[in-house]
């Protein structure tokens, strides 16, 4: 940790200290959520394909629902 020197004003020192060193908690949480969503999507789509491989249109709709869910989660709240 740097000490306060006469060349640097105290306001600059405070600004440097207040900058976060780790990513925002909500950003990390959203990354984790997206990863889990991909895992769940993979599992659900593959299980549905295994149950009925001839239901191509329904599997397409299932994938579309996951894409919509991703877009709704990424959309910033207004």
């Amino acid at each position: 940790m740097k000490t306060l020197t006469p060349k640097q004003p105290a306001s600059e020192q405070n600004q440097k200290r207040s900058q976060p060193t780790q990513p925002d908690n909500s950003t990390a949480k959203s990354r984790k959520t997206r990863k889990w969503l991909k895992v769940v999507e993979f599992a659900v789509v593959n299980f549905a394909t295994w149950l009925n491989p001839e239901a191509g249109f329904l599997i397409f709709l299932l994938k579309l629902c996951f894409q919509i869910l991703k877009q709704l989660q990424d959309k910033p709240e207004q």
Side-chain angles (χ1 to χ4, degrees), residues 7-70:
K7 294 180 183 178
Q8 292 179 325
S11 61
E12 284 183 24
Q13 286 287 331
N14 290 337
Q15 287 176 353
K16 287 181 183 178
R17 285 186 202 147
S18 66
Q19 293 176 350
T21 56
Q22 296 179 349
D24 189 16
N25 192 19
S26 63
T27 306
K29 188 175 182 180
S30 66
R31 284 186 201 150
K32 196 175 194 179
T33 304
R34 274 187 249 138
K35 287 180 183 178
W36 274 111
L37 183 62
K38 285 182 181 183
V39 170
V40 169
E41 177 186 3
F42 179 79
V44 168
V45 169
N46 283 325
F47 184 70
T49 305
W50 178 73
L51 283 178
N52 189 0
E54 297 174 2
F57 182 68
L58 295 175
I59 292 170
F60 167 75
L61 287 178
L62 187 60
K63 289 180 182 180
L64 182 64
C65 288
F66 276 104
Q67 291 296 320
I68 292 170
L69 182 61
K70 286 179 192 174

